[in-house]
């Protein structure tokens, strides 16, 4: 969060910028400059009397000044305008707890947790003796909407109308994980070597907007979007998709191919729509599509009408025509970017494409350090192994360590004493192994044909292939 002085200077240049006023008010609250915060939120309310963020900001100032009644009035006004505003419920929970009404405090806390599982107030949780996870487990599910008269009479509905699907708030595929789900991946970006550009792109599109929502509004940037990750197999694309679950404090949804494809006509499109509806209903949410080329094939190469319909449905969902995709980040990974329909690469869909090449020397050093951790190593020299593994992927390096461990284990069993994994053993295994990326780059040169040489999408691949070996080592 920028400090109040920097925001004050920005407001001098743009005094009626609503997002800057909200940012300034929030910064002043954090710095306990409550008079200035009150003035900022007051000015915001003059510009937009029913702006819920401004109302909520003013409510927080009043609460901190001890005016609990005024804070409650403001928070209730927010809920009148937005009944499902989790932050307003959380503030009312604080208000009621301060006023000694513990029952109502718990009711509003539970409601906030049910709306948004990412809400957090450690002090309030300690005082209530209740966590967000507890609240989400015990709070009752919302009552189902009554059926429409047309449905009761057996009237037809649009094929992809909301009535045709299970309530997206209640439906949970097997690969949906909330922020506090114990089955969620615990990997983080620290467990992934290299790929700093991709890590930062994910942070910019989903992590930072959750941390600094008003700052993004001030810059006119929306949360979410699409990122396409492509490159040779084994370079860590799937690993970093798993690490997103441990890195980003929001809902995480992996779209399994087996949950989309269906032998009955129309069901794959219906299933894909249900995934997107679930992500929208549980925003902020990250949607993961591994092996994206299976769902987004080039329609010029497809003969089956059902597969063409699925691709069309995918494009329709990415556009968010029927529903807003705000706060939904879609990440797709593929080993065959040339097989994707070109329509997926236009702005507004997968408009950010990141090439994940074989790890360079610094990245290999980081991967090797992770692989060597907690293993019985002897005379280990990271630099020597990095030098001997030019062109190796993360998967190749893991295989080298696994194979060396097997050989050392076999020697230990036959000798009856512990045998460490030596540098000589690792180098011997590495010299016998051919990097798995060679076949992929050959595929780029041959199978992609003219597309690979004329499509700007492959600029990064061409640069990598044209770079001398020494520069790849230092890249």
């Amino acid at each position: 969060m920028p400090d109040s002085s920097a925001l004050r200077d920005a407001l001098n240049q743009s005094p009626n910028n609503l997002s800057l006023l909200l940012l300034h008010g929030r910064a002043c609250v954090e710095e306990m400059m409550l008079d200035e915060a009150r003035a900022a939120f007051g000015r915001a309310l003059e510009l937009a009397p029913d702006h819920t963020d401004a109302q909520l900001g003013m409510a927080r100032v009043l609460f901190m000044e001890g005016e609990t009644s005024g804070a409650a009035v403001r928070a209730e006004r927010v809920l009148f305008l937005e009944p499902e505003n989790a932050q307003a419920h959380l503030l009312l929970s604080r208000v009621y707890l301060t006023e000694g009404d513990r029952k109502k405090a718990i009711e509003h806390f539970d409601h906030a947790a049910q709306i948004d599982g990412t809400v957090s107030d450690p002090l309030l949780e300690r005082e209530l003796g209740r966590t967000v996870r507890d609240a989400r487990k015990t709070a009752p599910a919302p009552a189902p909407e009554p059926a429409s008269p047309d449905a009761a009479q057996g009237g037809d509905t649009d094929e992809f109308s909301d009535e045709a699907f299970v309530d997206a708030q209640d439906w949970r595929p097997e690969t949906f994980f909330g922020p506090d789900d114990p089955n969620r991946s615990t990997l983080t970006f620290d467990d992934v070597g290299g790929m700093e550009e991709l890590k930062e792109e994910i942070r910019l599109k989903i992590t930072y907007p959750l941390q600094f929502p008003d700052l993004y509004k001030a810059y006119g940037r929306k949360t979410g979007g699409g990122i396409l990750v492509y490159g040779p197999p084994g370079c860590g694309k799937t690993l970093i998709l798993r690490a997103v679950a441990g890195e980003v404090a929001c809902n995480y949804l992996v779209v399994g191919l087996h949950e989309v494809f269906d032998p009955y006509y129309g069901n794959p499109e219906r299933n894909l729509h249900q995934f997107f509806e679930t992500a929208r209903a549980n925003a902020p949410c990250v949607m993961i599509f591994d092996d994206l080329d299976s769902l987004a094939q080039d329609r010029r190469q497809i003969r089956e009408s059902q597969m063409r319909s699925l691709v069309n449905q995918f494009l329709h969902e990415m556009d968010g025509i029927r529903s807003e995709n705000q706060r939904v980040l879609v990440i797709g990974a593929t080993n065959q970017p040339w097989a994707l329909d070109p329509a997926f690469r236009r702005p507004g869909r997968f408009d950010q494409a990141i090439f994940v090449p074989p790890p360079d020397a610094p990245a290999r050093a980081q991967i090797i350090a992770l692989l060597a951790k907690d293993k019985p190593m002897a005379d280990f020299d990271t630099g020597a192994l990095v030098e001997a593994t030019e062109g190796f992927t993360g998967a190749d390096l893991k295989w080298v360590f696994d194979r060396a461990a097997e050989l050392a284990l076999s020697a230990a069993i036959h000798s009856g004493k512990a045998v460490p994994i030596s540098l000589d053993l690792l180098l011997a295994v590495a010299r016998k192994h051919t990097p798995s990326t060679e076949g992929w780059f050959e595929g780029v040169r041959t199978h992609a044909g003219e597309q690979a040489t004329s499509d700007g999408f492959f600029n990064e691949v061409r640069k990598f292939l044209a770079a001398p070996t020494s520069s790849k080592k230092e890249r």
Side-chain angles (χ1 to χ4, degrees), residues 8 56-57 61 110 123 199 205 235 255 270 333 344 371 385:
R8 193 180 300 113
L56 202 52
V61 172
D110 287 1
L123 179 60
K199 294 174 185 176
K205 287 186 178 293
C235 291
V255 180
R270 188 182 301 274
F344 281 98
L371 291 171
L385 190 55

Side-chain angles (χ1 to χ4, degrees), residues 181-210:
D181 194 316
N183 297 317
R184 187 182 177 114
S185 173
T186 56
L187 287 173
T188 67
F189 287 169
D190 292 336
D191 300 310
V192 181
M195 291 188 280
E196 298 305 322
E197 179 188 0
L198 177 56
K199 294 174 185 176
E200 184 62 15
E201 193 64 33
I202 292 172
R203 293 188 185 105
L204 280 171
K205 287 186 178 293
I206 199 72
T207 306
Y208 297 153
L210 292 174

Side-chain angles (χ1 to χ4, degrees), residues 108-163:
H108 282 283
F109 178 80
D110 287 1
H111 203 151
Q114 282 296 106
I115 295 168
D116 184 356
T118 65
V119 295
S120 177
D121 189 330
L123 179 60
L124 179 61
E125 290 177 18
R126 283 198 299 271
E127 292 182 2
L128 289 175
R130 189 173 185 78
T131 67
V132 170
R133 183 177 177 183
D134 295 334
R136 288 176 69 84
K137 283 182 177 180
T138 59
E145 292 291 331
S148 65
D150 290 342
Q153 296 172 8
D156 293 335
T157 59
D158 181 69
E159 182 181 3
F160 294 110
S161 66
D162 294 337
E163 291 84 353

